[in-house]
Structures are given as structure tokens and as C-alpha cells.
Amino acid sequence: MMDSLPDCGLVLLDTEGKVLSWNEGAKGLLGYEEADAVGQPFARIVPSETLDPAGAPPALAKARRHGRHEEICQRTRSDGTGLALREVVIPLRDPQHNLVAFGLMMQSLAAHGPSASTSTRAAHAAPNPSRRKARVLVVDDEDIVRAVTSNMLDDLGYEVFEAASGAEALDILTRDESIDLLFADVIMPGMGGRELAEKAQAIRPDLKLVFASGYFPHALREKGNLAPGTDVLVKPYRRRDLARVMSRVLAEDVPDLEQSSWSRAPVPPSRDYAGAGHAWL
């Protein structure tokens, strides 16, 4: 999945900030080959004046402290030129909540400029002022996959919330009646996507559903992991595939602002523990 996202740099760092993995997107953005990047400190592409006293990128400490860090920043390409990036850092923890690595996602700001694709420009077209953004809850136990999906949906103009488990997703849906669509991984520890969907629609019968999985849909249906007729995206998928499915499933079925009235105000997911969901702003 990482290598199939040429416009998105996905990097795995160890706890000291050294590069463990380097995808094609990172190579395209910064010019470094995987062999040149892996094993090297990520600080080599961070302007020296922005490093902390220990010589590490401050984003790592901020992500470790807050559970997630996002910023617009300058990075240095292999040819010495600077590049403005949107960068997200997420600490990755084991089941005992010990820090084991950092997931780093990078996207060039130029991807949102005049040279952006037609589908991306259409997604950012001026919205109908009488309609609100559709609200999507993304559920995936893999932090980086969840972050990439949320970033794509955010780029497509949706308001996105995140949950790292089925239980967390149900808690959000119970407290927030404004969620329009549940976007869930099929295979997750504990509560899988189908069980989550059934419980979610018991709470919200009108809730739209889209699933994602690395397995083929027919295999999931044969094993009972997926109900017949369910919309599913096979990983890895591209932004345009996501946009097409979201548009079809929602089918403009988002209430007008003047007609919508919910008994509860939207409540952002909890930030109380590592891996908890965050609203992607």
C-alpha cells in the first residue's frame, strides 16, 4: 500500500528518529533513494535552525507528547532545494503502550495548487452554501492506514473523525448523531467491521457504510466477514477510487443546514490514550 501512493511520502522512523522505511512517495518528494535514506537520521532533511537542542526534529517530541502532530514545514531535498510539505507524525505503540516507532506522512502543498488533477479540483470546488460537509468516521486499527485514509477524505472535502477500534467507534456514534458514513476496515482485532456495522446501524439505522480490506470481497463474503451487497474498497486504492465510492454511497444524501437538527452537538473522539482517534482538521 505504501509503494502505491506516489504523491504521498510514508516513512517509518525508530524512536530515535532514524529512517526504517522509505516509500516511492518519499523518494519522489525529497529525491533520496531508499538505500540512501534507510538507517539515516530524518534530521538530515530538516533545516538545522529548526532542530531541537538534541538535534532531533521537534515534531517527534510533540507527537509523543500529544498523540499526533501535524504541521506545514520546510524540508530539504537531495539537490539542496527546499520544499514546503504538510507533515503528520503519529507515535506507534505496542499493546502495552510502549513507543516502538513513529509513522510519518508527507504531502507536497503543490498537490493542492493549480496543477492538481481534475478530480482533486472538482472535490475542492466551492460547496453549495446550503449544504454542510458530509461527516465520515474512519475506523482502522492501523495508525498509518487510518491517517492516510483520513487525509484523502479531508482532501476530498469531507469532515473526518477517527477511531482506532470498533468499541471507540460505537462510543463516538452514540455521542454524535451527525456522522453520515462509517468507513471501516473489515478485519480488526476484537470487533471486526461487519459486527461494528451491525451494532452501529442498530444505533443509527440511516448510517451509510463503506468497508476497506486487503482481502478480495468474495473471500470475505464466503467467510462471513462481509454481508452481500456491501460496498468495499480493496487496498491499496487511489484517491479517485475513494472519491467515486464515497460520492455514490452518499449520493448527495447530506441534510441541508437549515433542515438539520440533532439532539446532541458533535463530540470529537477521545485523546486520552495512545492510538485514540482524532478529528482531522
Side-chain angles (χ1 to χ4, degrees):
M1 180 175 182
M2 292 175 67
D3 286 337
S4 71
L5 297 170
D7 59 343
C8 186
L10 295 174
V11 178
L12 194 66
L13 307 175
D14 69 13
T15 55
E16 301 300 318
K18 288 186 179 180
V19 176
L20 297 175
S21 70
W22 188 263
N23 79 329
E24 283 295 312
K27 173 186 171 182
L29 287 171
L30 297 168
Y32 294 99
E33 297 286 344
E34 181 181 12
D36 296 326
V38 172
Q40 297 298 317
F42 185 70
R44 71 182 290 187
I45 67 167
V46 179
S48 57
E49 64 271 16
T50 65
L51 297 175
D52 66 19
L60 302 186
K62 292 176 181 177
R64 186 171 187 170
R65 187 163 58 248
H66 300 297
R68 175 181 176 278
H69 180 70
E70 178 178 351
E71 64 180 357
I72 303 299
C73 56
Q74 282 288 126
R75 295 294 179 248
T76 306
R77 291 177 48 82
S78 60
D79 61 6
T81 59
L83 179 67
L85 295 173
R86 180 189 186 192
E87 193 171 278
V88 180
V89 183
I90 299 175
L92 305 178
R93 300 179 183 273
D94 64 16
Q96 288 73 46
H97 298 292
N98 298 310
L99 180 69
V100 294
F102 290 96
L104 172 67
M105 181 177 67
M106 299 175 288
Q107 189 174 37
S108 172
L109 296 183
H112 303 287
S115 61
S117 68
T118 301
S119 60
T120 302
R121 289 198 299 271
H124 285 280
N128 185 331
S130 67
R131 306 187 70 84
R132 65 169 175 79
K133 288 183 177 181
R135 294 182 170 98
V136 181
L137 174 59
V138 176
V139 189
D140 198 302
D141 60 297
E142 294 289 340
D143 293 341
I144 291 182
V145 175
R146 192 172 66 250
V148 171
T149 302
S150 297
N151 187 45
M152 286 183 178
L153 288 167
D154 180 63
D155 286 346
L156 291 170
Y158 297 100
E159 185 173 351
V160 186
F161 299 91
E162 296 182 28
S165 67
E168 186 182 350
L170 291 176
D171 179 59
I172 295 168
L173 289 167
T174 301
R175 294 182 292 122
D176 186 347
E177 296 180 358
S178 72
I179 303 296
D180 298 296
L181 184 143
L182 177 69
F183 188 100
D185 189 23
V186 177
I187 306 298
M188 295 185 289
M191 189 186 307
R194 180 169 184 173
E195 181 184 359
L196 168 60
E198 291 171 350
K199 291 183 176 180
Q201 289 192 318
I203 299 170
R204 291 276 313 284
D206 61 335
L207 187 68
K208 306 289 186 180
L209 301 173
V210 174
F211 291 98
S213 179
Y215 298 91
F216 289 110
H218 72 272
L220 294 169
R221 293 188 180 101
E222 287 179 357
K223 292 186 176 182
N225 298 117
L226 203 63
T230 305
D231 288 282
V232 58
L233 277 167
V234 178
K235 302 175 184 176
Y237 50 83
R238 294 185 179 275
R239 185 182 283 105
R240 62 174 176 268
D241 302 318
L242 177 62
R244 188 179 303 116
V245 170
M246 293 294 292
S247 177
R248 178 171 54 79
V249 173
L250 284 167
E252 302 299 327
D253 189 23
V254 178
D256 289 348
L257 289 172
E258 60 269 24
Q259 296 176 352
S260 59
S261 59
W262 302 293
S263 58
R264 302 185 185 97
V267 180
S270 167
R271 295 174 181 257
D272 293 340
Y273 60 94
H278 302 275
W280 193 284
L281 303 176

